[in-house]
Amino acid sequence: MSRTLSALVWLVWATLAISTANAESVAPIAWQSDYGAAMDEARFSRKFLLVWFHNPQWSAEDAKFAAAVFEQPDIAERLAKSCIAIKLPVDAKSFASGEEITLLKHGAFRELLDLPGVAMIDLRDKASPHFGRVVSIFPFQERYITREQLRVMLDLPTGTLTQRTLIWAVRTHPERPASASTDLHEVLETETQKHSIHQASITLQGHHNWGSRFHSINSRLPDGLVSQEVCAESWPGQNLVEAAEECVHSWRQSSGHWDAVSRQHVYFSYDMQLGTNGVWYATGIFAQRH
């Protein structure tokens, strides 16, 4: 064997050995079972609380899911750094306002649809408007969350449940559009929320009053940046995750919208709100250079 080939073989072996060592060094997830204690620990540690609601009758499927997702080194490492993890049966009880309730039926978890699934509660900063709020969910309605989808969820920026879910849907689209890959901007966050609420309140999708909103937004952006907007709506009756994915799918069908969604911008924001007609209305606003 030549020296060059020997060196190459050694380098490959060393790389594999390091990768294996790193994988083995990630400790298994320490799943907790006491909701109150886990909440306290997450608050004290300034972390998210990740809740896995499971159906005890799905034990075989859950074991395969855990091995394929939670036990993967990249997921286990992210969880260890950012979350306290708790695994609860779907009928787990807790106390709210002095009354025992089924935790999954609490309003905070309504987007889990009374189903097994995962939820993230932000307990990192008491001064944040998101403190103590459920900020990500994924109900196991027809499928488990995948390893890639959970990785994206764990890496989402700070925001509300609706903001983060729509950003998640953009980032997990198979074509990996780049519009949600930069930084959020507070002006755009405010405006996407306001316009999503407006669309939902009149149950009509559209760039309503964009002429005046365009100039107002631009005047509050730095460095002469210019805003651009996309809007979409879900089908009636879709849950939050389905609706977010449907809105991104809708943008994909329009070359003009998809050009905006797929490109990287200086700043971005997304949000969505539910109308009384059961339709979710989505808004994305981007800040770009001339």
Side-chain angles (χ1 to χ4, degrees):
M1 184 182 293
S2 69
R3 291 183 178 178
T4 302
L5 184 57
S6 296
L8 181 59
V9 170
W10 182 89
L11 179 60
V12 171
W13 175 87
T15 302
L16 289 173
I18 292 170
S19 298
T20 302
N22 287 341
E24 292 176 348
S25 67
V26 179
I29 299 168
W31 290 103
Q32 300 201 27
S33 59
D34 185 315
Y35 186 70
M39 286 278 285
D40 290 341
E41 184 175 348
R43 276 192 291 263
F44 179 79
S45 304
R46 300 173 66 90
K47 292 184 175 184
F48 290 98
L49 179 66
L50 182 134
V51 188
W52 174 13
F53 288 103
H54 73 100
N55 186 336
Q57 297 180 355
W58 295 5
S59 57
E61 294 84 354
D62 282 353
K64 293 176 184 177
F65 162 66
V69 178
F70 285 125
E71 295 172 16
Q72 295 302 307
D74 59 328
I75 298 298
E77 184 175 9
R78 280 178 168 81
L79 281 171
K81 288 181 179 178
S82 64
C83 299
I84 300 300
I86 182 169
K87 182 178 178 181
L88 297 171
V90 290
D91 60 355
K93 309 292 185 184
S94 185
F95 283 91
S97 302
E99 181 181 356
E100 187 180 56
I101 62 167
T102 301
L103 190 59
L104 191 54
K105 294 186 179 298
H106 189 280
F109 298 110
R110 65 182 176 274
E111 293 300 337
L112 280 177
L113 315 173
D114 291 335
L115 294 170
V118 293
M120 291 179 66
I121 303 171
D122 192 342
L123 293 162
R124 297 172 299 168
D125 181 4
K126 290 183 179 180
S128 168
H130 312 299
F131 184 77
R133 304 278 185 176
V134 173
V135 293
S136 280
I137 55 93
F138 191 99
F140 298 164
Q141 187 170 24
E142 296 179 352
R143 54 187 168 131
Y144 285 95
I145 193 168
T146 67
R147 174 183 175 183
E148 171 64 13
Q149 289 171 334
L150 182 57
R151 184 193 64 76
V152 171
M153 182 183 288
L154 293 171
D155 290 342
L156 287 171
T158 298
T160 66
L161 174 61
T162 52
Q163 285 176 317
R164 283 169 54 99
T165 303
L166 189 50
I167 293 169
W168 173 89
V170 173
R171 289 185 177 181
T172 57
H173 187 276
E175 295 181 38
R176 298 297 184 266
S179 58
S181 63
T182 53
D183 294 325
L184 289 166
H185 192 283
E186 60 181 356
V187 169
L188 303 187
E189 289 185 82
T190 298
E191 292 297 325
T192 51
Q193 182 185 60
K194 284 172 58 178
H195 190 59
S196 296
I197 291 172
H198 177 70
Q199 291 181 93
S201 70
I202 64 173
T203 61
L204 181 65
Q205 176 201 334
H207 303 280
H208 314 295
N209 305 313
W210 176 243
S212 59
R213 289 190 296 114
F214 172 78
H215 294 292
S216 174
I217 293 169
N218 293 348
S219 69
R220 290 173 285 147
L221 291 174
D223 305 321
L225 296 174
V226 175
S227 57
Q228 182 179 12
E229 180 180 78
V230 294
C231 299
E233 64 183 81
S234 72
W235 292 104
Q238 289 185 308
N239 67 51
L240 177 59
V241 172
E242 289 174 332
E245 292 179 324
E246 175 59 34
C247 288
V248 178
H249 174 73
S250 175
W251 286 323
R252 183 63 185 90
Q253 309 314 303
S254 164
S255 59
H257 284 84
W258 193 245
D259 177 67
V261 172
S262 61
R263 280 189 292 114
Q264 189 177 81
H265 305 276
V266 180
Y267 298 111
F268 81 97
S269 183
Y270 283 103
D271 205 350
M272 57 194 297
Q273 297 291 325
L274 181 63
T276 56
N277 56 353
V279 173
W280 288 89
Y281 294 88
T283 309
I285 305 180
F286 319 114
Q288 56 194 344
R289 303 194 188 282
H290 284 288

